[in-house]
Amino acid sequence: MHPAPAIPTGTRPDSDPRVAYIVDDDDLVRGALGSLLRSIGLEVRAFDSTEAFLAAARADGPSCLVLDVRLRGQSGLALQQSLLQLARPPIPIVFMTGHGDIAMTVKAMKAGAVDFLSKPFRDQDMIDAVTAALDSDARRLEAARRLLAVRNGWDALTPREREVMQHVAGGLMNKQIAAEMGIAEITAKIHRGQAMRKMNSRSVAELVRKMEALGVLQGTH
């Protein structure tokens, strides 16, 4: 089965549409779920197998996967394990099954599933689970965007500015940095100001947090 055509959503122009992927080999289930999730403004892409889902391109914005446990071919739980091993961004999974048991639920949740719904489920339960999954993915994407901005700032620093930042993070004042590096105090001050602007940091504490996030903070003095 080919993915369902993209349906315009009511999202803000400055935000990516939220996408719900559905993988279920039952045509009626795919159709009903698709209608339900489109009714709350989501873009829906539906597949009848895990193989078809894996072959499809992933949306850039917040997304989640509504996945049946028991499928013809690869099972939903097997797909979850495959996704964990692939070099792809993680996707929150809401499992559904008509034959669920405690062992399945525990295995799925331990592997990071957002929820596990037994068929038949209430529409509101599915809406709540998908909304929570999409909110989680939106937070992940925002954190990734912030980290990328920090990485770009660090990459823009000159080697001398990076050295100054290490001293700043170590708690040294401009005069001490100048002595450590064998440069004039005014030069140290200029490098510090330029580097702090590139790193978009208003305080040493903020700078240290960003350097820690990047894993570039060396031993402090």
Side-chain angles (χ1 to χ4, degrees):
M1 177 181 177
H2 296 293
I7 304 297
T9 69
T11 54
R12 299 185 307 275
D14 61 344
S15 65
D16 292 315
R18 293 188 164 202
V19 179
Y21 297 94
I22 299 171
V23 178
D24 194 302
D25 53 19
D26 187 316
D27 293 345
L28 294 178
V29 171
R30 286 198 310 278
L33 268 178
S35 297
L36 173 66
L37 298 179
R38 289 188 187 97
S39 74
I40 60 171
L42 301 182
E43 179 179 329
V44 174
R45 302 180 189 180
F47 306 87
D48 62 0
S49 69
T50 61
E51 292 79 10
F53 167 72
L54 287 172
R58 173 89 176 269
D60 292 329
S63 61
C64 73
L65 172 59
V66 180
L67 179 60
D68 195 6
V69 169
R70 296 179 186 271
L71 298 164
R72 291 188 293 270
Q74 186 185 45
S75 72
L77 290 176
L79 174 61
Q80 183 187 33
Q81 293 303 314
S82 297
L83 291 174
L84 291 173
Q85 296 168 8
L86 291 174
R88 286 189 178 187
I91 183 169
I93 299 176
V94 175
F95 275 107
M96 54 184 177
T97 182
H99 310 279
D101 58 24
I102 294 176
M104 274 187 185
T105 304
V106 170
K107 184 175 181 179
M109 299 303 284
K110 279 186 174 180
V114 174
D115 213 332
F116 198 103
L117 304 179
S118 295
K119 299 176 182 176
F121 44 77
R122 295 189 312 127
D123 286 354
Q124 190 59 51
D125 289 340
M126 176 60 72
I127 289 172
D128 290 345
V130 167
T131 299
L134 289 169
D135 287 346
S136 172
D137 204 42
R139 290 191 295 271
R140 177 191 65 81
L141 287 169
E142 180 57 30
R145 280 191 285 264
R146 288 197 300 267
L147 185 60
L148 178 61
V150 173
R151 169 60 65 185
N152 289 339
W154 181 259
D155 289 344
L157 299 181
T158 65
R160 182 60 62 88
E161 288 169 347
R162 292 182 186 181
E163 185 178 357
V164 169
M165 287 295 92
Q166 293 291 350
H167 289 309
V168 171
L172 297 188
M173 306 297 291
N174 291 338
K175 185 175 182 178
Q176 295 169 308
I177 294 172
E180 285 277 344
M181 298 178 61
I183 58 178
E185 184 177 351
I186 185 63
T187 303
K189 182 178 181 180
I190 291 171
H191 284 318
R192 177 174 182 156
Q194 291 175 333
M196 291 291 281
R197 282 192 294 274
K198 290 179 182 179
M199 291 294 290
N200 194 27
S201 298
R202 296 183 179 182
S203 68
V204 174
E206 183 179 3
L207 172 70
V208 169
R209 286 195 298 272
K210 290 180 177 179
M211 292 175 67
E212 287 177 339
L214 292 175
V216 298
L217 186 63
Q218 298 175 2
T220 57
H221 294 267

